[in-house]
Amino acid sequence: MRSELYRSVSIMSSWLALIGFAFMAALFGWFSREAWSLFAGLGAFGIAVTVTAQHFQHRTMVLVYLNHPHRWRVLIAQCFSAALLGTLLAAVSGVAVLLDDNAAHYRSTVLVAPVMAVFGTLCTAVVRRPLWLIGGAFAWLLFAEGIINRMAIGLPFGSFAMASGGNTKALLYLLAWTAAAIPVALWAIHRDLSSD
């Protein structure tokens, strides 16, 4: 876990992604706490994708897996690192919401952001290409969750938005999506890396 955290904070693109997502979330936090929550969740997802996919982009994942034959341990370390960065992103970007006397909303968003980061890490273990995953996530958010489901409970990002407001049922849906991604990610980390 130490090496994963060190790698996450030592690469410039991780810092740029963290600052960029935090700035966008903070900017929307001045207008609406719900918009901040959604962008904090997207930021936690995005930073998890960025940090996890760097191993695949830089071809260092082969060396990591050779060094750690139990690949699930690497996945746990990546989930932990992404959850920490996602929590940091949500905590820092929500200062405007906190100053606007929305402490309960701020607290629930910061507590739920790590779940979205873990979900992003698990999705990256399957897809492995950050542009495909982030582009697909935005298309999914726009069409499936925004237009069709109208950001209601049931799908991952809508469930995050509702859970960040304190909705326990939405949190259970988000946890169910994350739990459903675990076996797929465990299967995916045992795929051959030569095709990537």
Side-chain angles (χ1 to χ4, degrees):
M1 282 199 210
R2 265 190 318 228
S3 63
E4 194 62 36
L5 282 171
Y6 176 76
R7 187 192 60 81
S8 298
V9 298
S10 64
I11 297 176
M12 180 63 79
S13 62
S14 298
W15 282 105
L16 293 175
L18 186 63
I19 291 168
F21 285 126
F23 177 75
M24 288 298 296
L27 183 67
F28 281 93
W30 288 105
F31 301 111
S32 164
R33 66 182 185 181
E34 289 81 14
W36 165 72
S37 292
L38 180 62
F39 275 90
L42 287 172
F45 183 86
I47 194 69
V49 169
T50 303
V51 168
T52 308
Q54 287 171 350
H55 269 314
F56 297 107
Q57 285 179 307
H58 300 145
R59 307 265 187 229
T60 57
M61 190 55 89
V62 174
L63 299 174
V64 171
Y65 283 161
L66 287 174
N67 193 28
H68 301 285
H70 298 290
R71 294 180 177 190
W72 58 271
R73 290 182 181 170
V74 175
L75 184 63
I76 289 172
Q78 289 175 332
C79 288
F80 178 77
S81 174
L84 192 63
L85 290 174
T87 303
L88 177 68
L89 183 141
V92 169
S93 67
V95 172
V97 174
L98 186 62
L99 293 175
D100 200 28
D101 291 332
N102 291 311
H105 191 86
Y106 173 83
R107 185 173 42 253
S108 61
T109 301
V110 170
L111 290 175
V112 177
V115 179
M116 185 55 83
V118 169
F119 182 68
T121 300
L122 296 172
C123 290
T124 307
V126 176
V127 177
R128 297 182 179 174
R129 300 193 187 275
L131 289 178
W132 292 4
L133 185 55
I134 290 177
F138 277 115
W140 171 268
L141 179 65
L142 180 65
F143 294 109
E145 299 209 26
I147 295 174
I148 297 170
N149 199 36
R150 301 198 186 276
M151 292 305 287
I153 297 173
L155 297 177
F157 294 104
S159 296
F160 173 84
M162 296 294 172
S164 63
N167 189 326
T168 308
K169 183 178 178 186
L171 178 60
L172 293 176
Y173 274 102
L174 181 60
L175 288 171
W177 277 99
T178 305
I182 291 172
V184 181
L186 287 174
W187 166 80
I189 62 175
H190 291 290
R191 288 187 316 196
D192 186 19
L193 297 174
S194 61
S195 62
D196 294 334

